């Protein structure tokens, strides 16, 4: 499954990528991770299609993951599920506005990220047509 990791910060992307690993859970497909540093690059990928899940940094600059999630949900047909990584637990209400499918907060806990991502991967796999 193609998993897009979005953040302007290379260290944040590396941390998320490390937490995901090759496979976030034994019962989900391997994660093909695609790193993206800008909103235009992310939307170009989404427009082409084939992205299965997004992991979005809510603290990204200049376009944060919350706004990206909201825009993607509004504009992309069959938008992939979004896991939003927020800066503070108190920002969960904003994550609700963004229509993120799952939310975790900093400091990044690799076990929590893997668990939430695996859940989104299962949901996405169940929604995809059988090949």
């Amino acid at each position: 499954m193609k998993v897009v990791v979005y953040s302007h910060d290379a260290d944040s992307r590396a941390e998320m990528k490390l937490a995901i690993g090759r496979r976030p859970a034994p019962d989900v497909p391997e994660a093909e991770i695609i790193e993206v540093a800008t909103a235009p690059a992310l939307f170009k990928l989404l427009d082409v299609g084939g992205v299965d899940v997004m992991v979005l940094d809510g603290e990204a600059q200049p376009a944060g993951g919350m706004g990206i999630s909201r825009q993607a949900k509004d504009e992309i047909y069959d938008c992939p599920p979004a896991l939003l990584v927020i800066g503070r637990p108190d920002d969960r209400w904003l994550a609700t506005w963004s229509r993120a499918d799952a939310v975790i907060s900093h400091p990044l806990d690799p076990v929590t990220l893997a668990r939430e991502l695996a859940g989104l991967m299962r949901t996405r796999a169940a929604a995809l047509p059988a090949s």
Side-chain angles (χ1 to χ4, degrees):
M1 278 193 151
K2 290 185 182 176
V3 178
V4 173
V5 173
Y6 165 76
S7 179
H8 77 286
D9 181 26
D11 291 337
S12 292
R13 290 193 312 271
E15 185 179 13
M16 290 186 277
K17 191 175 169 181
L18 184 62
I20 295 166
R22 283 186 1 175
R23 181 175 291 180
D27 65 327
V28 298
E30 285 191 19
E32 178 187 334
I33 299 173
I34 303 165
E35 293 185 54
V36 178
T38 67
L42 175 61
F43 279 100
K44 187 175 182 179
L45 277 173
L46 293 174
D47 285 339
V48 170
V51 173
D52 295 302
V53 183
M54 301 179 289
V55 180
L56 308 172
D57 179 2
E59 304 302 308
Q61 302 282 331
M66 289 186 216
I68 296 284
S69 177
R70 175 84 178 201
Q71 184 178 349
K73 297 293 181 171
D74 285 345
E75 296 178 1
I76 304 298
Y77 174 75
D78 194 26
C79 184
L83 169 58
L84 184 61
V85 182
I86 57 175
R88 306 173 315 134
D90 292 344
D91 291 338
R92 284 192 178 277
W93 71 274
L94 281 171
T96 300
W97 167 86
S98 74
R99 295 194 221 146
D101 299 280
V103 181
I104 62 172
S105 61
H106 285 286
L108 194 65
D109 175 24
V111 174
T112 302
L113 189 149
R115 182 187 67 235
E116 293 296 325
L117 179 61
L120 295 179
M121 290 172 79
R122 287 181 200 104
T123 301
R124 185 65 168 182
L128 294 174
S131 49

